[in-house]
Amino acid sequence: MFRTRFAPSPTGYMHIGNLRTALYAYLIAKKAHGTFILRIEDTDQKRNVPEAVQAIYNGLALAGIAYDEGPDKDGGHGPYVQSQRKPIYSQYAKQLIEQGDAYYCFCQKEDKPEPGDERIEGLKDPCRDLSSEEVQARFDQGLQPVVRQRIPLEGESSFFDHVYGDITIDHKQLDDQVLLKSDGFPTYNFANVVDDHLMEITHVIRGQEYLSSTPKYNLLYQAFGWETPEYIHLPHIIKEDGKKLSKRAGDPTFEDLVHMGYMPEAIVNYVVLLGWNPGDDRELFSLQELIEVFDMDRINKSSAAFSMDKLRWINGEHIRALSPEAFHETALPWYPGSLHRFDLKELSRLIQIRTDCLGDIPEMLGFLAKLPEYEASLFENPKSKSSLESSKIVLEAVIPLLKKQETFSNAALFETLKAYATESGFKVGTTMWPIRTALSGLPASAGGATELAALLGKEETLIRLEKGLAKLS
RNA sequence: GCCCCUAUGGUCUAGCGGUUAGGACGCAGCCCUUUCAAGGCUAAAACCCGGGUUCGAGUCCCGGUAGGGGCACCA
């Protein structure tokens, strides 16, 4: 039985890297019909953001990732919030001390050498070999110790990682890390081992930054006589310029992207592809499909750059795949109020195929509510063989025609205008271009001449056509 | 400083000793077309460098280089 967990610290938002980690952990569990668990790692009392747990719930819900066990969903392995598990950690720390696998350390932070400090070579923690009397004496002085893991001085540790393969690290590289802080809270380094074991996690999925400390965790598992889990360390997601993604630098979080108009399903689809591929050419997946096709042994080792361009394309593909009804519902919240007089359903029909990002909708449709200022030169377009002259002739001829037009439907309008084109000798494109241009005031619009005319209605169509003609006179 | 990891077009990637190095995004062009899209077609664009091993190396080994990560009472 697979049991995986997503164990974020509550920082207040879900960044892209976190989303992918959650996703992979979820997919690995679900692929195996296993259990996916949410655990909150809030052991750093200095860093806790009060409302942040809610942000995690929201983020996961938005992504469609449902957990089987979590703080608000007991599965018999709780509590699922580390700050509520404090007694558990001290109990296990005590066991380690009794076994000699950990020790009390009374040093102050300043006593420790910095990385790069030459003294660090072969330097042992002075508290490592304190006798029980010496320890007691320090306790009697009222000193608050930390508990440190006693790493063997000799030897090396190896483990297998599903992404990176076999990793070996010399014990000399491992420091006697703090297990319990002086405030009694565990460090991540300790809590993750105890909790993963107690919660019966079978597969640990986390960022690559933990790769080199994994041997320390394995030593802990061994000291307790516990079975080590399988490891899946994930490469980082970076930016196209090679820098790392950071909220501070203005890089969007998952929630930001949703607010920008990217659909959660599309973001999920894109993010899962950052460091994984199905082994064939498929790129478009629903969450459900991902569960079926995901394979942890196909995760890449190298970091991947987040591309807005590709996200945009995938988002467009997801939008186009929607039924017209579903798209309409999705698009509705993005319509500006100024469009209320229009047939919104028809608008949705027109823009669906052209929409890559929902956030583009207001801009795409703005011209309907208010004709933009434009230059007469817009009527010149070599592709449709339109010139200032031809446009003027067409508009002059077409205005009276449309005045007489009774049914302002797309089909009827097209029939009328096409008939004019045939009769006048102008190409259909040459006829339509000036009309479309005058109706939109834009070089490109969501909809052709007759579609726009039908949408705008007879009155507004004629007003705009006259305005266009005025620019040409 | 020490240790770990990574390296295929601009980007995401396939490859797992013998391929004209495949696909996708983006970019350019063409077709289609009532503008723009969408769709279709075409093009340009890559194995970090140097040594080995081998009949043969993007693929295996070693060494560089470059990038990332770790060495916290942060996770």
Side-chain angles (χ1 to χ4, degrees):
Chain A
M1 181 62 165
F2 276 40
R3 289 175 60 87
T4 68
R5 92 283 108 146
F6 173 52
S9 56
T11 54
Y13 50 87
M14 171 109 82
H15 53 81
I16 297 301
N18 257 176
L19 172 63
R20 193 192 55 178
T21 305
L23 211 41
Y24 283 9
Y26 173 77
L27 293 174
I28 289 168
K30 291 298 140 187
K31 169 81 185 265
H33 306 288
T35 305
F36 175 65
I37 297 153
L38 172 65
R39 181 172 77 219
I40 305 296
E41 309 231 329
D42 60 346
T43 56
D44 186 358
Q45 295 302 298
K46 292 190 281 293
R47 281 200 188 196
N48 251 330
V49 182
E51 301 299 294
V53 178
Q54 193 56 45
I56 294 168
Y57 294 155
N58 294 153
L60 290 175
L62 208 49
I65 301 174
Y67 45 90
D68 305 297
E69 297 177 22
D72 54 349
K73 209 171 175 201
D74 188 27
H77 292 77
Y80 295 88
V81 177
Q82 287 184 330
S83 57
Q84 292 167 19
R85 300 171 63 82
K86 222 172 143 184
I88 302 174
Y89 308 116
S90 34
Q91 174 200 329
Y92 282 101
K94 207 173 149 206
Q95 180 186 339
L96 250 22
I97 288 174
E98 283 163 5
Q99 290 175 194
D101 291 310
Y103 59 91
Y104 289 113
C105 170
F106 297 89
C107 297
Q108 296 303 299
K109 268 188 217 169
E110 309 80 63
D111 299 339
K112 297 288 288 178
E114 291 292 308
D117 192 322
E118 283 158 21
R119 293 182 301 149
I120 209 168
E121 271 308 308
L123 197 75
K124 278 201 311 184
D125 191 297
C127 298
R128 194 175 153 111
D129 299 316
L130 253 30
S131 68
S132 52
E133 292 74 27
E134 289 171 310
V135 168
Q136 193 52 52
R138 282 165 172 78
F139 268 116
D140 291 344
Q141 287 173 46
L143 293 174
Q144 287 294 308
V146 300
V147 174
R148 284 185 189 279
Q149 180 178 3
R150 188 190 305 276
I151 303 278
L153 269 10
E154 301 293 320
E156 56 182 33
S157 283
S158 297
F159 67 99
F160 172 77
D161 181 272
H162 278 272
V163 175
Y164 290 96
D166 291 309
I167 306 287
T168 300
I169 291 175
D170 202 302
H171 289 166
K172 285 191 182 64
Q173 293 303 324
L174 272 23
D175 59 335
D176 285 359
Q177 63 179 347
V178 170
L179 266 18
L180 238 42
K181 309 176 209 176
S182 51
D183 65 3
F185 278 92
T187 58
Y188 165 87
N189 301 316
F190 189 47
N192 94 82
V193 170
V194 171
D195 289 345
D196 284 343
H197 172 258
L198 260 23
M199 295 180 181
E200 301 181 73
I201 302 302
T202 57
H203 297 256
V204 167
I205 296 113
R206 52 157 71 125
Q208 184 220 53
E209 63 271 25
Y210 298 106
L211 201 55
S212 42
S213 37
T214 296
K216 292 194 275 199
Y217 309 146
N218 283 346
L219 253 13
L220 249 18
Y221 280 97
Q222 283 165 30
F224 284 120
W226 296 339
E227 194 182 334
T228 55
E230 310 238 351
Y231 291 107
I232 296 100
H233 284 94
L234 272 20
H236 287 141
I237 299 176
I238 55 176
K239 288 194 269 194
E240 290 194 87
D241 64 9
K243 296 205 178 77
K244 54 178 149 186
L245 251 9
S246 86
K247 186 168 168 63
R248 223 168 46 82
D251 299 315
T253 63
F254 175 50
E255 293 88 335
D256 290 337
L257 290 171
V258 174
H259 289 142
M260 286 158 77
Y262 295 94
M263 298 201 301
E265 302 89 314
I267 303 169
V268 162
N269 187 164
Y270 175 58
V271 159
V272 84
L273 257 16
L274 250 22
W276 173 85
N277 73 83
D280 57 32
D281 287 343
R282 286 193 69 194
E283 291 194 295
L284 271 11
F285 299 96
S286 66
L287 229 207
Q288 206 39 242
E289 291 168 324
L290 285 170
I291 290 173
E292 286 159 34
V293 78
F294 194 79
D295 176 2
M296 65 179 168
D297 291 308
R298 289 195 65 87
I299 299 173
N300 282 125
K301 293 195 254 278
S302 50
S303 45
F306 185 94
S307 160
M308 255 330 193
D309 278 339
K310 184 118 187 190
L311 200 219
R312 199 178 158 78
W313 173 76
I314 286 195
N315 198 54
E317 290 296 307
H318 278 261
I319 285 176
R320 276 164 228 126
L322 255 24
S323 69
E325 296 73 31
F327 173 72
H328 182 58
E329 248 180 76
T330 307
L332 220 40
W334 295 86
Y335 283 117
S338 57
L339 260 31
H340 61 269
R341 85 171 179 87
F342 294 97
D343 178 349
L344 264 26
K345 241 188 165 108
E346 174 62 9
L347 252 35
S348 289
R349 195 188 64 75
L350 281 177
I351 64 171
Q352 177 170 9
I353 203 169
R354 305 165 223 257
T355 306
D356 282 331
C357 177
L358 299 167
D360 297 346
I361 290 177
E363 194 186 352
M364 217 182 308
L365 262 16
F367 75 92
L368 287 170
K370 185 176 185 297
L371 181 66
E373 290 300 322
Y374 64 99
E375 297 297 315
S377 60
L378 208 56
F379 285 105
E380 289 177 302
N381 180 29
K383 253 194 94 176
S384 66
K385 294 204 182 341
S386 290
S387 62
L388 260 26
E389 293 71 32
S390 71
S391 293
K392 190 175 179 214
I393 296 168
V394 168
L395 254 24
E396 274 172 341
V398 137
I399 288 170
L401 238 38
L402 293 184
K403 267 185 185 147
K404 283 190 297 187
Q405 180 83 14
E406 284 178 17
T407 38
F408 243 65
S409 72
N410 181 31
L413 254 8
F414 188 72
E415 201 181 323
T416 303
L417 292 171
K418 188 161 184 200
Y420 165 75
T422 311
E423 174 194 318
S424 66
F426 282 121
K427 292 180 56 167
V428 173
T430 316
T431 304
M432 299 297 184
W433 177 262
I435 300 171
R436 204 217 104 254
T437 301
L439 294 183
S440 66
L442 297 169
S445 55
T450 60
E451 285 168 321
L452 296 187
L455 221 37
L456 255 8
K458 186 167 182 173
E459 193 187 345
E460 180 66 15
T461 294
L462 289 169
I463 292 173
R464 292 189 180 197
L465 257 22
E466 295 282 8
K467 273 190 188 163
L469 183 55
K471 283 184 197 290
L472 290 163
S473 304

